[in-house]
Amino acid sequence: MESSIVVVLYLSLFLAMNTVLPTLAKVYTVGESIGWAIGADYSTWASDKTFHVGDKLVFNYGAGHTVDEVKENDYKSCTTGNSLTSDSSGATTIILKTAGTHYFICAAPAHCMGGMQLAVTVKAAKKAASPTPAPAPAPSKAKDSSSDTKGTPKASTTPATAPTRSTTSTPTKSGSSKGDSSMAPSLFSPTFALVLIVSWISYYVMLPMV
């Protein structure tokens, strides 16, 4: 019974971690070493990448450029003035918060036509792989043998020629079987749980520093 409770607690902990902890987000530098500039082929750059909700796009560029998120029609026609968001800081980070296709252009005159446009298709967030819990230990047979022993009284050794007297036999208790059951090794020790929790916390504390 105690082992079953421990298993349930560990499973609940794993489910809580997968629900609350953030997903494994990636950071993509648009254009890599070229950055956000005229003449680059951003369609080719994005073609071999898979973007998920929570991933980040980092745009690095010089003065005179902008990063504007626009609608599909404005993206195709390089129309400016209707941007959903716009930034010209020189280092723009876009967090992909929703699934679907997101469109970006440079709003400077003729820059979009010069190649400064990017479309990325974003998929639903991928969750961190959950650890597989160890199987529950098999129930001890010692307990069953103990129960059988308790229900079997000792045979009477009173000779047949002795005067008839009422002899009550005391059931034999198996103390060793109970001790063996309590000493069985548990696959779910508090130390194992602590190591798992510390590992998860360390990973997600270090993740923002990457």
Side-chain angles (χ1 to χ4, degrees), residues 79-149:
T79 300
T80 60
N82 302 317
S83 303
L84 302 175
T85 62
S86 180
D87 184 55
S88 58
S89 64
T92 303
T93 299
I94 301 293
I95 300 176
L96 302 173
K97 297 180 180 179
T98 58
T101 304
H102 296 256
Y103 303 93
F104 304 93
I105 66 172
C106 177
H111 286 198
C112 176
M113 298 296 294
M116 294 186 71
Q117 55 179 172
L118 169 67
V120 295
T121 300
V122 182
K123 296 183 178 181
K126 58 179 180 179
K127 293 190 175 181
S130 57
T132 303
S140 174
K141 294 182 179 180
K143 185 176 182 180
D144 296 336
S145 62
S146 174
S147 299
D148 294 339
T149 305

Side-chain angles (χ1 to χ4, degrees), residues 132-197:
T132 303
S140 174
K141 294 182 179 180
K143 185 176 182 180
D144 296 336
S145 62
S146 174
S147 299
D148 294 339
T149 305
K150 290 181 180 180
T152 305
K154 288 184 178 180
S156 175
T157 57
T158 304
T161 57
T164 303
R165 296 181 64 182
S166 177
T167 304
T168 303
S169 300
T170 302
T172 303
K173 295 184 179 180
S174 177
S176 61
S177 62
K178 183 176 180 181
D180 294 341
S181 177
S182 63
M183 292 297 291
S186 173
L187 295 179
F188 302 95
S189 66
T191 303
F192 176 67
L194 180 58
V195 170
L196 282 179
I197 294 174

